[in-house]
Structure formats: structure tokens, C-alpha cells
Amino acid sequence: MVENLRLSLESLRANKMRSFLTMLGIIIGISSVIAVISVGNAMTASVNNQFAEFGINNVSLGVQMRANESGGFDMTVTKTPKDTDRISNEQIETMRQRFPEIETLALSEDAGRGKAKIGRKYSNVSLTGVNTGYAKANKVKMALGRYISDADVRSARSVVVVSDRTAAALYGSNESALGQNISVYTDKAIKQFAIIGIYKYTQSSAMGVAASDRDLETSGYIPVSSAKKDSPYKNFTSLTVIPKQGTELNDFTNRISAYLNKLYERNKEWEAYAYNMKSELESTNSMMKTLSMAIAAIAGIALIVGGIGVMNIMLVSVTERTHEIGVRKALGAKDAHIRMQFVAEAVALSATGGVIGIVLGVGLGMIGARIVGAPFELSAYVVSGTVLFSMFIGVFFGYYPANKAARLNPIDALRYE
Amino acid sequence: MIQMRNVFKRYFADTPNEITVLNGIDLSIGSGEFVAIVGQSGSGKSTLMNIIGALDQPTSGEYELGGTPIQQMNRDDLAEIRNRKIGFVFQSFNLIPRNSALKNVELPMVYAGTKASERSRRAKRLLEMMEMDERMNHFPSELSGGQKQRVAIARALANDPDILLADEPTGALDSKTGNLVMEIFLRIHREERKTILFITHSSELAELCPRVVTIKDGQIVSDKAGTNSGGRLHG
Ligand SMILES: Nc1ncnc2c1ncn2[C@@H]1O[C@H](COP(=O)(O)OP(=O)(O)OP(=O)(O)O)[C@@H](O)[C@H]1O
Ligand SMILES: [Mg+2]
């Protein structure tokens, strides 16, 4: 066995150019498989991360303009739903009771944007009215103090949870910001809030990059009831719910969509929607998978072509070395010895091609991952799998020529010139 | 050791081009004999030797090697016989070009499944015996004809076979080197008591052998003792 390996590596070396050309098909095949798989994985991972940021189990509910008869929307008129077209607090409560699987219900209301100022220091804040469920649905992480509570909402308190960026800009630290009163200057009014908590700001990949770090605008969370005080609308156009663990998400989404649309049955202009990211994630993932498979299939064809190249060169090699085979048989080589020798040579050829292909594929994969902006990852499974597969190609396509060599009649092989 | 009865070898049998290369050979060679086979080119000497060496099969007739009939053996059994019982030496050396002298001598032992350490130990000893130990890491292309043939003889002796078959081993060598190779065969015969069959075109070398078999048109036409057997080579 060791002897065979030594022999095959030697014959590889003896025919460098020929071996390389033969390996080319395998190199191209393997490297494209590796590159495609690693770039595909990187893309899938980055898409999954983005979805995870939104909350993969969140179900978004809301009202939207009803599609007209032809199935489209009238693009020329944009309407704002009247308060009666919106989802009311009572409807939300009834829904919550109808769907006990709802674990968290997040409400939000835009309360305008402005500058929080102290002397010459300022911070851009976008005020958002929220309920307690909002923190979970939007993955708000507290750094200090507490988040908006049910009591805050019930009493419509003038309290705010600001980002650590705002705290740093205005007070220098989270600790000194906590408990302070701040004024937020919006275009309509100056609003006063007591800071009850500071959350950790995380740059969302979905949001654009701020002009400068100084002007970065972060959310300031206030009780949704406080936000409603200044709003002409008492009801909501959208909300987010998270069902309890183990709820079948798509089924839940369909049921809640049907339930809400029942409320909008008579409404000619507006209808309810419900969707979740999971099905979108799934369809994106399956699209990616299909794409990867298609490219992998092309790579597979390259591998087969490479394998045929191996077979071709092995047939040439057997013919060239017929006399040598005869000598070996005269010295007592059994068919199996000769077969092993040539199979080992084909495997050495294809496995060497495979290893070169992996190195090349990893390089291409790294470049590709950088282009799509995702971290490069390569599993040991893929590497060992492709090495084994390229060896298998060697065995598969090397067997026929090797067997042909093994079956040669000793005297005919020996007399072959 | 070797028993042949009425052995025929035909090519293109049952066609108009049929040629009979061996035409009813009866030959019996005992253990430890040194036999020269002579005859004109094309008379069938090599064909006979290839059949004796289990490289080729007779078209008809019986052949027993060491008491076992060869006809009933399968490919692997024949390979085993070539490996263990027979050592071939060829006119054109037939060393494996990409293997060193040492690896060439080891090769029959590789096929016999000998351990690597034992293999190289024995191969070195054989090369020493052939006074080739200083060249054991050289490749065939780096050796002279006589040196190549000495490596080939060492290789033929690798598995300590009963029979050495040499098809014109001196044919590609000048007469001085040829005589040297002949000396080696005589020495092996003397010291190791091996059965040796030796094809040659040189009557001088043939006459040194205790027994000389002459073949003409595929038939044995004479079988007698060499006139100078036990004598010495000059030069
Ligand atoms: N495979 C074959 N097919 C057809 N004819 C063959 C074959 N092998 C040998 N012969 C014929 O058999 C005859 C004897 O050949 P062989 O090699 O035994 O002669 P030889 O006595 O060894 O001659 P030389 O001294 O030249 O080596 C030749 O006429 C040759 O043409
Ligand atoms: Mg001949």
C-alpha cells in the first residue's frame, strides 16, 4: 500500500505537465464546489442574521389599503386611515383574549423627532411611544435603570428611556444621566421627560449610516399613552405580536389574519394584514439553496469531465506501460497488485487535484465572502467530504483502466513494444 | 523438476495462417541441472522458456513443474509460481526505469508480501553478492549493461527461486561482460544448486554447460553434454 502510494506520487512527478492538465478538471470542479458552498453559507448566514435582528418569530399586523378589483393599488392617491379604520385598543384586547398563544404584544406610536438639549450639548432623538411588549419584540437591551412599565403606560407618565449614546452626549455617562429631566425640542413643542432608564444602542444593519457620530439619531422610548396624548389618532395602524414558544408560526399568522380581516369585512378601503419574517426567510433560504444547487450541479459536471480526464490519462498510461506491466507480472505480480497500483495512481492524481481545488476554492470563497460582506466559514465536513469525493472519482474512473492493466496476459504484455 | 510431454504451441490455430512454433516437445529437466538451450533465431527457444516460466501456456501437451500440472492453474496461482519458484533474467534487462537498483531487487519480495525491513536487508545482501551494493541507489539509466544485468540477476534471486530462466542474458553485452555474467550463473549453479536454463547464441558459452539442448523448427534435435563442461572461460 505504502509502496503503491510512493509509486503513484513518483509517476505524478514524472509527468508533471500531463498530471496537471488532467487534474485541471478536478481542480475547477472542486474549487467551484468549495467556493459556491462557502459563499452560499456566508450569504445565508448574513441574511439569517438580518432577519434575526427583526425578530424571526415576530408577526406584524396592521391595516393597509384594500387592493382594487384588478388586484393592484391605486398609486395616485395615498390616504391616511381614519381613526375608525384603525385597530382600536378594545379590538386589541379582544384579540389578545381570542388568541391565548400571544405571549407578547408590541405597540408603538411615532411621537416626533427633535433635539434633546442641555446648554450647548444636544442629541438627536426620535421619540417613540411604546408599551412593555415593544422591548421584547425589538430586542431592546437595558444598560441602566428600567424600561417603560405597564404602570407608566396606564398613567401616561412623562418618562423616557434614552440610548447610552444620548446619555453620553448630554451627561457624559449612563450613571449621571439616570434620573435627570430632559427637554426634547420637536418642531411643534418642547416636551419634558424624566430619564428612567438607558438602553444599549446597537447599530442596525437595516438603518442607514448617520452623517456623523455626533448627529446620530437614536430612539427615546416613552409610554405609548403619553405619545397618544398629542396624536390626532387614538387607534393603531400596526402592531407586532410574538406567539408563545412552540406555536406553529405560519398557521398562527393565517388564523390571526383571518380574524382581523373579519373585522374589516365591510370596509371598502382598508383591510388587515398579518405576516411573519419566517416564511420570507424560508423562501430566501430555499432560493439560495436552489441557486447553490444549480451551481453545484455545474461543478459536478466539471468533476465528471475531470474524472473522464483521469480515466483517459490512465488508459494512456496503461498502454504506455504495457511492457512494464508484463515485467511486473513476470516477477510475480498478481492481477490485484497491478489493479491496486493503477487505482492508487488515479486516486493520487484526483486527490492531489482535490487538495489544490480546495486551496483554490477557499481563496475564491474568501474573496466572494468579502464581496457579499459576510464572514467566511468553511466546515470540516465540506473539506473532508470533497477530499473523499475526489478520491472516489479516482477510484471510480481509475478502476476501468486499472482493471484493463490487471487483466493483461503476462506474455503479451511482456512482448509489447 | 520440469516435465514436458508432447507440448505444442501454435499461433492463429485453425486458420490458414496457422504457425506451429513448438512441435511436440518432450523435455525433462531434473533439479539442479544447468541446461543451455541453443538453436537458430525463430526456432522457438523463447517460446519454450516462457511456457516453462508459466508466462505462457502451451496449445496442447502436458507440463508439470515440481510435480504440479500447470494447465489447471488460475492466473493468481501462476503469478504465485512465477513469484516464488522462478527467477527471470532477460536479454534487455527489463528493470523498472523509475525504481532504484535496490527497489528493483525488492520488487518480487513486495509481491510476495515480505516485510519492508526484511526486503531491504535481503536486497542489499543480493546486490552485495553481485558486487553492486555501491550502486544500489542508482537508477537503471545510470548503470552500464553489465551492471544492469547483475541487478537483474539479483532481482531474479530475490525470492530464492528453484529455477533461474535466462533468455540470452549475455545477448546485449560485449563478450567480456558476457563472460562475467556467465561466470555468475556458473557460480550460482555451483553454490546455490539452482536449476538453470540458459538460452544463448554463443556456442562457446553453451559448451560450458553440463547439458546442451538444441532446438530446430520447434523440435528438440539434440540433447547432450557440453563438450567443455566444467571447463573455464578464457579472457
Ligand atoms: N505472439 C505471437 N504471435 C505470432 N507468432 C509468434 C508469437 N510469438 C512468437 N511467434 C513466432 O514464434 C516463432 C518462435 O519465436 P521465439 O521467440 O520462440 O524464437 P527464438 O528461438 O527465441 O528466436 P530468437 O533467437 O531470435 O530469440 C517465431 O517465428 C515468432 O514469429
Ligand atoms: Mg528469443
Side-chain angles (χ1 to χ4, degrees), chain A residues 3 6-7 10-11 14 321 323-324 327-335 337 406-408 410-411 414, chain B residues 11 47 50 55-56 75-76 79-80 82-83 88 90 94 96-99 103 107-108 110-111 119 155:
Chain A
E3 193 64 24
R6 188 185 64 83
L7 273 173
E10 249 162 42
S11 82
R321 283 151 69 187
H323 180 71
E324 180 191 315
V327 172
R328 287 175 182 275
K329 291 197 162 212
L331 298 178
K334 291 183 179 162
D335 291 5
H337 289 124
R407 298 298 302 170
L408 284 171
I411 187 64
L414 192 61
Chain B
Y11 288 103
T47 307
N50 291 335
L55 272 173
D56 203 355
R75 291 167 66 92
D76 277 358
E80 183 110 16
R82 292 193 292 270
N83 188 229
F88 285 99
F90 306 94
N94 284 343
I96 306 291
R98 270 179 283 103
N99 284 6
K103 289 284 169 202
L107 197 52
V110 169
Y111 294 136
R119 231 154 58 197
R155 184 176 70 179

Side-chain angles (χ1 to χ4, degrees), chain A residues 273-292:
Chain A
Y273 67 79
Y275 74 89
N276 64 64
M277 287 293 193
K278 196 173 182 177
S279 56
E280 261 162 66
L281 177 67
E282 273 162 7
S283 72
T284 311
N285 277 350
S286 90
M287 194 190 75
M288 281 279 237
K289 208 170 260 170
T290 314
L291 198 70
S292 296

Side-chain angles (χ1 to χ4, degrees), chain A residues 412 415, chain B residues 11-12 19 21 39-48 167-168 201:
Chain A
D412 293 340
R415 294 180 75 108
Chain B
Y11 288 103
F12 317 115
I19 31 174
V21 177
Q40 279 172 355
S41 184
S43 54
K45 308 182 292 294
S46 295
T47 307
L48 176 64
D167 192 344
E168 294 184 53
H201 279 282

Side-chain angles (χ1 to χ4, degrees), chain A residues 124-138:
Chain A
N124 290 325
V125 174
S126 128
L127 290 173
T128 312
V130 298
N131 68 345
T132 40
Y134 183 90
K136 186 167 184 214
N138 291 278

